[in-house]
Amino acid sequence: MANGRVVQTADRILGSRQLAALLPSEVRARPGYRALADAVRKLVLDGRIALHVRLPAERELAEALGASRATVTGAYDLLRESGYVRSRRGSGTWTELPEGHGPVGAHLLAGSGGYLPDGEPGIDLAIAALGAPEDSLTEALAWAAARLPRLARSPGYHPFGLPGLRSAVAERFTRRGLATRPEQILVTAGAQQAFSLVVTLLCGPGDRVVTENPTYANALDALRHARLRTGSIAVSDAGWDMEIAESTLRQTVPRLAYVIPDFHNPTGLLMPQEQRLRLLAATRRTGTWLVVDETIADIALDVPAPAPLASLAPRGGAEHVVTIGSLSKTHWGGLRVGWVRATAKMITELAAVKVAADMTGSVLDQLVAQPLLEGLERTLPARLAQLREQREALVAALERHTPEWSWERGPGGLSLWVDLGEPVSSALAERAGACGVHIGRGARFGVDPGTFEHRLRIPYTLAADRLDEAVRRLASAFHDGVPLAPAVERPHWVA
């Protein structure tokens, strides 16, 4: 595969042209052996080249790049020395990770947080999510336990989701200003599965899609796995550039556009209503499916929570809008419950895709989710107050330990998108990992390799004392007297 897609073929062999297409343009144009080695390392760390895949022979890759064989030989030698490939005479060169590195992708979740060599706990800033609200969760478990025996007498397969939960999700959309029927809701195992199902149904390999840049890292992973060609809409500290967005949509006519207009991840920005109307109109003109991620829409810290974007469309003008959401950010990531809101026809088609993937969702998780969702207005204010306090604690820690860094405080969301002032994000993340701080480097959120190297996403979802200690360690890594330079970054799973 090429153009940023994940390479993981059935025969585990990566062709020379495939690898050449994955490399950054500056490496393809002037392939020095160190730059080539660094580029391949980053592709492995980002998961765009799978582990245990055989790389092209040196002569073949040299021909594909228009480089000397000595250049490729030197790059492969560096990769072997650093532990990113292994070679066996007669068998070729295969990708792997150095000893001590965790696996790429979601497997990193098992080790997130980590520990320092002396046993001191690490601090996990890679995941922007709160722990579960214990009182609400306990009440919901009791509510679910009383109803589970009746449901347990049935086979337990509900491919569309439990009727009660579908109704609760639909009612919440309606209360927020978007009239919705239960048959317009599909319950999924979180918003990530919801997005993957939508992409599977609507897109085929090679289709064009558009996302914001930066955007949610795991959504980018889903697009790469689906082998889609990704264009971008810039989101800066000043917000969305809607003129460029309209131009991009008009020129590329993408099959799908994915946006996070509500307290955007990672920037925390809120898209103004005028821009929402322009985006609705532009995607309708180009026949582009508009996928709106509302996972963070309720994390409104300084402004009222916005109405669903689709509610702004004139009557009958939002059939191309697909809205996804979940309880992961408002309640708990361990409760794998999300949803898709779309036309009833599309929900039926998505359910067929879901059945092929996992037959049905967890009945117990959905039972627990229903009272949590129905009681959200009662429990959410305390969660938001907690986040406001923790955001102030993070800002105070940054001002105290790293006054040279800058950021814009969005009106909601779960993190700050911090500007380091120099392109050292990956190197800092590597050094911070040795200090027990795991963090989402900026490049993880970029559509193109190597972008946002001057940024870090720092969530404020930990307690104030942990945030202060995390920033102190980051500052120590940043100021330790050894200049930070572009380095081989440690793989990080982010959420």
Side-chain angles (χ1 to χ4, degrees):
M1 305 171 199
N3 297 329
R5 304 163 194 153
V6 176
V7 175
Q8 191 167 8
T9 58
D11 54 7
R12 314 294 290 180
I13 298 173
L14 175 60
S16 58
R17 291 184 179 179
Q18 291 175 298
L19 177 51
L22 284 167
L23 296 170
S25 57
E26 62 271 19
V27 175
R28 293 197 304 268
R30 301 181 64 182
Y33 76 99
R34 290 188 182 277
L36 177 57
D38 285 345
V40 173
R41 275 192 287 250
K42 289 177 181 178
L43 291 169
V44 172
L45 287 171
D46 281 346
R48 283 173 286 149
I49 296 178
L51 297 179
H52 314 303
V53 165
R54 193 170 80 184
L55 295 177
E58 294 172 5
R59 180 180 301 166
E60 293 174 0
L61 184 56
E63 291 177 356
L65 293 174
S68 70
R69 184 172 178 179
T71 295
V72 178
T73 299
Y76 279 18
D77 285 345
L78 283 178
L79 290 166
R80 275 188 288 269
E81 291 169 8
S82 56
Y84 285 87
V85 303
R86 56 179 171 81
S87 298
R88 191 169 58 200
R89 188 178 298 277
S91 297
T93 299
W94 301 76
T95 58
E96 62 179 15
L97 285 176
E99 184 177 353
H101 281 253
V104 298
H107 298 293
L108 276 172
L109 184 57
S112 64
Y115 289 86
L116 292 168
D118 62 2
E120 182 185 354
I123 302 176
D124 196 342
L125 291 179
I127 299 177
L130 292 164
E134 293 184 13
D135 291 345
S136 300
L137 187 59
T138 299
E139 294 173 4
L141 284 167
W143 188 93
R147 290 157 178 78
L148 184 59
R150 179 179 60 82
L151 286 172
R153 291 191 287 269
S154 73
Y157 290 92
H158 300 272
F160 289 88
L162 288 181
L165 181 56
R166 295 179 77 197
S167 294
V169 176
E171 288 171 9
R172 177 155 175 78
F173 271 111
T174 300
R175 288 197 305 271
R176 294 175 58 222
L178 180 61
T180 302
R181 305 184 307 278
E183 56 265 33
Q184 292 179 271
I185 300 298
L186 174 70
V187 178
T188 62
Q192 183 70 9
Q193 187 192 54
F195 183 58
S196 295
L197 292 173
V198 171
V199 169
T200 299
L201 176 66
L202 298 180
C203 301
D207 280 350
R208 292 184 181 274
V209 297
V210 166
T211 75
E212 295 146 324
N213 193 29
T215 191
Y216 181 50
N218 294 320
L220 288 174
D221 287 343
L223 297 176
R224 289 164 181 152
H225 276 284
R227 297 182 291 166
L228 303 175
R229 294 182 291 169
T230 308
S232 62
I233 299 169
V235 181
S236 68
D237 288 340
W240 289 257
D241 190 326
M242 198 52 61
E243 289 187 7
I244 291 180
E246 290 169 330
S247 175
T248 299
L249 289 165
R250 184 170 59 252
Q251 292 174 17
T252 63
V253 192
R255 176 72 174 163
L256 178 149
Y258 168 77
V259 296
I260 312 171
D262 306 315
F263 316 121
H264 174 264
N265 185 1
T267 68
L269 296 173
L270 180 65
M271 183 182 286
Q273 179 167 316
E274 181 268 337
Q275 293 188 351
R276 293 169 183 249
L277 291 169
R278 291 173 66 177
L279 182 61
L280 278 168
T283 50
R284 187 171 175 81
R285 282 194 301 269
T286 57
T288 299
W289 291 100
L290 179 58
V291 181
V292 179
D293 188 339
E294 284 196 342
T295 306
I296 314 180
D298 288 308
I299 311 300
L301 302 181
D302 301 327
V303 295
L309 188 148
S311 68
L312 299 178
R315 187 176 185 86
E319 292 189 353
H320 70 298
V321 181
V322 179
T323 305
I324 62 177
S326 81
L327 293 179
S328 296
K329 305 303 185 183
T330 54
H331 288 83
W332 188 38
L335 192 65
R336 301 311 300 153
V337 174
W339 50 83
V340 183
R341 191 268 183 200
T343 64
K345 178 178 182 295
M346 177 174 284
I347 292 300
T348 300
E349 295 170 345
L350 285 168
V353 177
K354 186 177 187 299
V355 166
D358 69 355
M359 297 294 291
T360 189
S362 164
V363 170
L364 181 56
D365 280 14
Q366 292 180 60
L367 268 180
V368 173
Q370 184 176 331
L372 290 175
L373 185 65
E374 291 174 341
L376 185 60
E377 276 73 18
R378 174 175 57 86
T379 59
L380 186 60
R383 300 282 270 182
L384 298 183
Q386 175 188 351
L387 284 169
R388 290 187 193 99
E389 291 179 3
Q390 291 173 188
R391 183 179 62 177
E392 293 309 309
L394 175 58
V395 167
L398 290 169
E399 290 175 342
R400 180 164 51 252
H401 299 298
T402 56
E404 67 270 52
W405 294 358
S406 63
W407 59 90
E408 294 292 330
R409 190 184 316 203
L414 296 163
S415 58
L416 297 179
W417 186 230
V418 176
D419 190 335
L420 306 175
E422 50 186 308
V424 295
S425 174
S426 293
L428 179 57
E430 171 77 8
R431 191 179 288 178
C435 301
V437 176
H438 299 260
I439 193 161
R441 58 190 178 83
R444 190 71 179 86
F445 302 87
V447 172
D448 301 309
T451 55
F452 301 110
E453 268 295 313
H454 62 301
R455 293 280 191 171
L456 283 180
R457 187 192 71 167
I458 307 183
Y460 36 83
T461 49
L462 299 178
D465 60 335
R466 298 299 281 164
L467 289 171
D468 186 75
E469 176 62 16
V471 176
R472 187 192 67 77
R473 295 187 193 183
L474 286 171
S476 177
F478 189 77
H479 297 132
D480 77 350
V482 179
L484 284 163
V488 178
E489 66 271 22
R490 190 170 177 173
H492 292 282
W493 186 90
V494 297

